[in-house]
Amino acid sequence: MTKLNEFINRFQFTLPVTRRTQRTASKSAAVLLPIINKTTPTLLLTQRSPFLRSHAGQVAFPGGARDPEDGSLVTTALREAYEEVAIPPEKVQVLGQLSPQQSIGGYEVTPIVGLLPEGINYRPNPSEVASVFEVPLFDALSLNQHKYVDIKRAGQSNRIFFYWHNGHLIWGLTAAILHQLALQLK
């Protein structure tokens, strides 16, 4: 059995790590955690456009707000991944989802884990995405790679995770989602 198969089996047979909700979100969103099926599997991440109103230039998974016509959050994640980087929805093998996380912008964000074949031609939508890059899956899931800082905001303590990869700072919700997945598989 390969390491990727072991990952898939462990992921699909373990319950998501649940976190207590700190605030109530009025809006739903979903992101796709695209795992590329290579000899050394990778996760696809995006560098958001520097011209966006919110989270400009940050590293993120493809995703966004749920549209009223989306039948599910899986549909939302696949639609957004297609709009942002041209991942064909029919090429994604959905493996499952993680527990929703609360974003600082008031969204309840559900991470959808999907497996992609190697060789997809990603085309970033320049109005949303500046670039696309890959991170080795098992490096990103190594808990000793995850760093954090505790801050107080609005009188509450918050832990902000971050992770460096080849000059890219992965932090905030994206890093928290990676940390959540790593804990689930531990």
Side-chain angles (χ1 to χ4, degrees):
M1 186 179 274
T2 67
K3 275 183 93 173
L4 183 57
N5 285 339
E6 289 172 12
F7 163 84
I8 292 169
N9 287 335
R10 281 196 355 243
F11 172 72
Q12 291 182 325
F13 290 111
T14 57
L15 294 174
V17 174
T18 56
R19 295 174 179 243
R20 71 174 205 275
T21 303
Q22 294 180 339
R23 53 189 170 266
T24 305
S26 60
K27 306 171 271 189
S28 295
V31 296
L32 181 66
L33 278 66
I35 298 170
I36 302 165
N37 190 359
K38 297 179 169 183
T39 305
T40 301
T42 59
L43 272 171
L44 181 84
L45 290 161
T46 67
Q47 182 92 40
R48 292 172 51 87
S49 168
F51 305 110
L52 292 172
R53 281 188 313 209
S54 65
H55 309 294
Q58 290 183 5
V59 171
F61 290 111
R66 183 177 190 169
D67 282 351
E69 59 274 4
D70 290 342
S72 70
L73 289 169
V74 169
T75 301
T76 300
L78 296 176
R79 175 185 53 75
E80 286 283 343
Y82 183 74
E83 290 174 5
E84 290 181 17
V85 290
I87 294 174
E90 67 276 5
K91 297 285 187 180
V92 180
Q93 177 188 348
V94 175
L95 301 176
Q97 67 185 48
L98 297 170
S99 296
Q101 299 242 358
Q102 303 300 312
S103 79
I104 209 160
Y107 283 88
E108 182 176 82
V109 180
T110 301
I112 307 296
V113 180
L115 186 63
L116 305 176
E118 192 173 7
I120 291 177
N121 183 25
Y122 308 106
R123 292 182 314 279
N125 175 343
S127 66
E128 295 188 56
V129 176
S131 65
V132 175
F133 65 98
E134 296 175 27
V135 173
L137 175 64
F138 299 112
D139 287 352
L141 297 179
S142 173
L143 284 170
N144 67 351
Q145 300 277 353
H146 298 217
K147 309 297 181 209
Y148 64 88
V149 63
D150 290 324
I151 62 165
K152 282 203 181 237
R153 182 182 178 130
Q156 289 193 349
S157 279
N158 293 294
R159 181 161 282 178
I160 308 297
F161 289 96
F162 59 96
Y163 166 71
W164 283 97
H165 176 74
N166 285 347
H168 293 282
L169 174 61
I170 302 162
W171 70 282
L173 187 60
T174 303
I177 290 169
L178 283 174
H179 189 76
Q180 179 187 11
L181 181 57
L183 283 176
Q184 180 174 329
L185 296 169
K186 183 179 170 192

